[in-house]
Amino acid sequence: MTIWWGLLALGLLIVCALAFYLGRLLSQLQKQKLQQQQAQAEQQRKQAEHQQYLLDSIVLIGQATLEDQCELSEAGLRIWVLLENLQPELAQACRYPGLFAMYDCVKAMPTHEARKALDKKELRHLDHIRQQTEIQLAASIKQDIRQLLEILKPVH
């Protein structure tokens, strides 16, 4: 009879140990799920902040361009790149032909150190092309920017 009591005690001890171990595993699983949810929420927050930054940048550059505080070529290049990152479906040449044409003209032109390395004749030639394109596309670019700002305004 005492052997049965011993076996019963041993069985209860094993069951308690397994229950404790299961409780720890469930607790760890719950912590892991909570950490994943927090990481996902943080990722979504950062993505929303980035989207808002892109939107604010487009609006700011667009408004500055309409107020003649930003060159059309600079605006075309910057807005197009920002737009492709914000909403690629909006960055379509058929939607904003002026902006795209300006972007297409200046996207391959050297900047910063590469621009400084050019000889003066080549630099003048590139500047002439850029300025002529700005003159030809000025009305179209400004119209595209107005249209874009109207689309983005409700989002902003």
Side-chain angles (χ1 to χ4, degrees), residues 2-75:
T2 56
I3 196 157
W4 291 108
W5 285 109
L7 288 175
L8 182 62
L10 182 62
L12 282 174
L13 185 61
I14 291 172
V15 168
C16 287
L18 288 174
F20 176 75
Y21 181 66
L22 179 63
R24 285 196 61 210
L25 289 177
L26 289 173
S27 173
Q28 288 175 345
L29 181 63
Q30 189 175 16
K31 283 181 186 177
Q32 188 178 26
K33 281 184 179 180
L34 182 61
Q35 288 173 341
Q36 287 175 342
Q37 289 172 344
Q38 289 172 340
Q40 187 177 12
E42 180 66 15
Q43 176 75 15
Q44 289 173 343
R45 184 191 64 77
K46 284 181 180 180
Q47 186 176 7
E49 278 181 7
H50 181 68
Q51 293 291 95
Q52 189 61 48
Y53 170 78
L54 294 173
L55 179 64
D56 291 344
S57 297
I58 291 171
V59 169
L60 182 67
I61 294 167
Q63 290 172 340
T65 304
L66 294 177
E67 295 170 4
D68 296 322
Q69 297 175 354
C70 180
E71 289 184 10
L72 295 173
S73 56
E74 183 79 12

